[in-house]
Amino acid sequence: MDKILEAVVTSSYPASVKQGLVRRVLEAARQPLEREQCLALLALGTRLYVSGADELPRRVGCQLLHVAGRHHPEVFAEFFSARRVLRLLQGGAGPPSARALACVQLCLQLLPEGPGADEVFALLRREVLRTVCERPGPAVCAQVARLLARHPRCVPDGPHRLLFCQQLVRCLGRFRCPAEGEEGAVEFLEQAQQVSGLLAQLWRAQPAAILPCLKELFAVISCTEEEPPSSALASVVQHLPLELMDGVVRNLSNDDSVTDSQMLTAISRMIDWVSWPLGKNIDKWIIALLKGLAAVKKFSILIEVSLAKIEKVFSKLLYPIVRGAALSVLKYMLLTFQHSHEAFHLLLPHIPPMVASLVKEDSNSGTSCLEQLAELVHCMVFRFPGFPDLYEPIMEAIKDLHVPSEDRIKQLLGQDAWTSQKSELAGFYPRLMAKSDTGKIGLINLGNTCYVNSILQALFMASDFRHCVLRLTENNSQPLMTKLQWLFAFLEHSQRPAISPENFLSASWTPWFSPGTQQDCSEYLKYLLDRLHEEEKTGTRICQKLKQSSSPSPPEEPPVPSATSVEKMFGGKIVTRICCLRCLNVSSREEAFTDLSLAFPPPERCRRHHHHHHHRRRRLGSVLLPAEDAGAQEPGSAGPQRQRKHCITGGVPPTILDMEGLGPHGLGGQSGQEEKVERGESTEEEAAAGEEEGEEKEKAEAEEKREAQDDEEEEVREKVKEEKEEEAQEEKEAAAADGEEAAAAGPGPGTLQSAAATSGDGSRSVLDLVNYFLSPERLTSENRYHCESCASLQDAEKVVELSQGPRYLILTLLRFSFDLRTMRRRKILDDVSVPLLLRLPLAGGRGQAYDLCSVVVHSGLSSESGHYYCYAREGAARPAPAPGAAERPEPDNQWYLFNDTRVSFSSFESVSNVTSFFPKDTAYVLFYRQRPEEGSEAEPGSPRTRAEPTLHKDLMEAISKDNILFLQEQEKEARSRAAYISALPASPHWRRGFDDDKDEDKGPPGGCSPAGGSGGDFHRLVF
């Protein structure tokens, strides 16, 4: 019967004839057969199933085995013995064929239980291990996986199971797609999935095998001597538990036995797995490993792999099936590569065609990818400005897509940079501290230079001024401004946690300051702005003269000098009017200023201003505080007060620390000359430099203003009469209310009350000090005014008004007074409430709203000692309120605390409460940003609020080179520290306490030391 059947199958009869004859033979085989006949049919069925040339003999062989197994089980068990299985699997050279394994799987389904079956399973446990050790192809491995999935008793047991799993990983690394075309690719994917599925099944049964298999996987992909392993290994990753990710990456990145070459090879090959279509979580493992390398400062590997693979990852965005993983890896690679534009620029030629392809695809996946890609491009253009010729095509390609906000861009850039990754070693070694999570950069204290650092950070956070400085052209005649430009550029783009301002400090050094000693930050600020102003003015004048000398015909009239950057940003104008109380003649003078120095009013003025608040409401500004601070603000915090420019007192200022031997003393007088509000030209030498131009200009302006001043003088005379009557009434009421206090003698300021009396005085606000600065002042006794009309010294009244507010209003609170009794400077420790929104009164009853953007705080008891630090937020222009809408403080943009090298997140609440928590820490210099008036247009050339200005190429290259140098320094440092740590004796407690932030919320924000607020030691980049 077996010979007849074999002849029929191998004959040339039509298939229908063959099938009919086979059907008859199979029916006969279901009947009782002799043992030899049945064994012959089983042998024929096995031979046809394993060696059949086409589908018909294989199907006939399968049917024969099924019939024999079901109808002749005893003979089948005798035939399918361990010896038969061994001959079947070892019939040829090399590993068994997939058909032989499939035949074994089929026979196992028909094999009855018994001792013979146990012998077969024991044999198969050995044979499948031998098979995978011989590195079979995808088809055989997939058949082994199907066999073991169907018959788990064939899985090797004991220690052999782990070896079997590791060898399966090796086999996957050898997989090669056997055929081209879609059908071959699909079959290859299915085979890889079956093998990886078997691994997942074995891991679930024995979780301890996962980590050894991962080590084997890394050994395969990190081997540099063999050909690249198959991408089929990516199919394993989807079955790895994500909870193992952190531990695996940490151990791998800190393993000293893994060389840089191996790590580079491994991560490069993992990134290639992004193209594996069925790999889930591949992107998560790739990103985790990249983060792990960044945490241990292995930047050279990251740089090399990013530049080598970023274009290939980008190309995978074309394929929807792998688009999600490719986009995740691409975003991480780009957003972390912030030290140089090189990686981003590699993608520039590919972005426009990719955008066009995604638009043409018109799918949900493509649209989502487009939006994220556009956001990524905007981040990179923001991060690396200065290449308009390269960026124009890509900006044109994405012009119709959503543009992210600047806050969103800064958030993305700040969260993923390599230098923001937490280092495992940072807790032990401050030199390895990463860039602040804020994305901001600190300044190194060079020895009591916190006063410089605080001012520079406040100026840097004044966005309009920063943009103005960064826009400075490469060839200019302003060396100090150029050094400031380089400093600002590195503060904006460096990857270092802190940089040294040494070169800039040397260039801007105030000549009368002593090196290494604490100085007054306000004095430094005035000197710096004056230097910048004079330098630009001189450079402009030189350029104009050079143009005139080079032109063939001289110009008809000299050009009008343009305002300098300092004047545009910080320059305002103030008008001083003095009225003679005898003839009522009024003289006026307008001067420029860059900051206002605000003295503290004497205590009795505070009581009187609270008592008569309603009489003065008309001419005072207003302060709006946030809702949480409104209750603490006194409703009538304004009144007639007096400016004391030099604040020289014979008594004790309110609320100073030294309270011994206090008593009422008279205030020292001021000179009879008009106070000069400091701008840049505060000295006689500087005024003489522009004397020739200034005198003619002043005469012309005086003639033009004469008619307008006549009306103003009349109004001032009326005001003076009213105020004289009011003041007399105030003095009477004040004397009645305070019977124990002596009445003020004459029209002067009166006497200071003792410190004990001031303790019950209400808190002051910045507006109180502003109003005191603007309040009328009586000039009497030795301060009398020389009236030109009377031709003699006369009592007079001086009124100060702001005629033009600056874009950035700088207010200095005069906390340091000179005590004539002790002959030393003392600090006024009064807590002054600083409003978020300040409405500054201007001449003519107008008002200008200002938003707080920076507060420089002094910690200590004297200007010659202590420490400075700065609270700041972005001081950029904000829209004016809509008509009819209530004026509110600016939304609480993110505040930062700049304390030398340390930069941290903060809040306006911290700014407001710093003095209440730390009495020696008081607000000293305030920066306010002017709100644009409703309907006002942006100034020509005004800085865009969206992006930082374009830097010239030399500056960008210097930043990129230094960023690479810093990464190399950090990597070298991390390697040496890691080697040191690995040599330490093991101890479970040696790390305890090192990660705790000792000075968090336990004291004032820091002391003044060469290491700055954090006390760390940093690699110094010197400016």
Side-chain angles (χ1 to χ4, degrees), residues 750-863:
T751 58
L752 275 174
Q753 52 186 338
S754 67
T758 65
S759 62
D761 193 24
S763 63
R764 307 173 192 271
S765 73
V766 170
L767 187 64
D768 292 338
L769 275 61
V770 172
N771 285 328
Y772 180 55
F773 176 83
L774 298 176
S775 64
E777 179 182 359
R778 189 69 60 84
L779 304 178
T780 60
S781 302
E782 67 273 16
N783 288 339
R784 287 186 297 169
Y785 165 71
H786 185 274
C787 176
E788 295 181 358
S789 299
C790 300
S792 62
L793 294 173
Q794 297 294 335
D795 289 353
E797 185 165 77
K798 182 169 71 173
V799 177
V800 176
E801 288 185 311
L802 298 173
S803 58
Q804 177 184 322
R807 181 180 299 187
Y808 284 97
L809 174 67
I810 302 177
L811 301 177
T812 301
L813 311 187
L814 294 177
R815 292 188 173 275
F816 303 114
S817 64
F818 189 78
D819 189 345
L820 293 175
R821 183 174 61 85
T822 60
M823 299 303 294
R824 62 175 181 170
R825 297 183 74 186
R826 286 172 145 172
K827 181 178 178 181
I828 301 173
L829 295 175
D830 283 11
D831 188 3
V832 177
S833 63
V834 179
L836 268 176
L837 175 61
L838 174 69
R839 188 163 183 83
L840 191 68
L842 300 180
R846 297 174 294 126
Q848 176 65 57
Y850 283 85
D851 290 302
L852 181 67
C853 56
S854 296
V855 178
V856 178
V857 176
H858 177 263
S859 174
L861 302 177
S862 168
S863 61

Side-chain angles (χ1 to χ4, degrees), residues 961-974:
K961 288 180 180 178
D962 181 72
N963 284 338
I964 294 174
L965 176 62
F966 170 67
L967 296 180
Q968 292 171 346
E969 291 171 355
Q970 291 288 284
E971 181 173 1
K972 183 179 179 181
E973 193 82 30

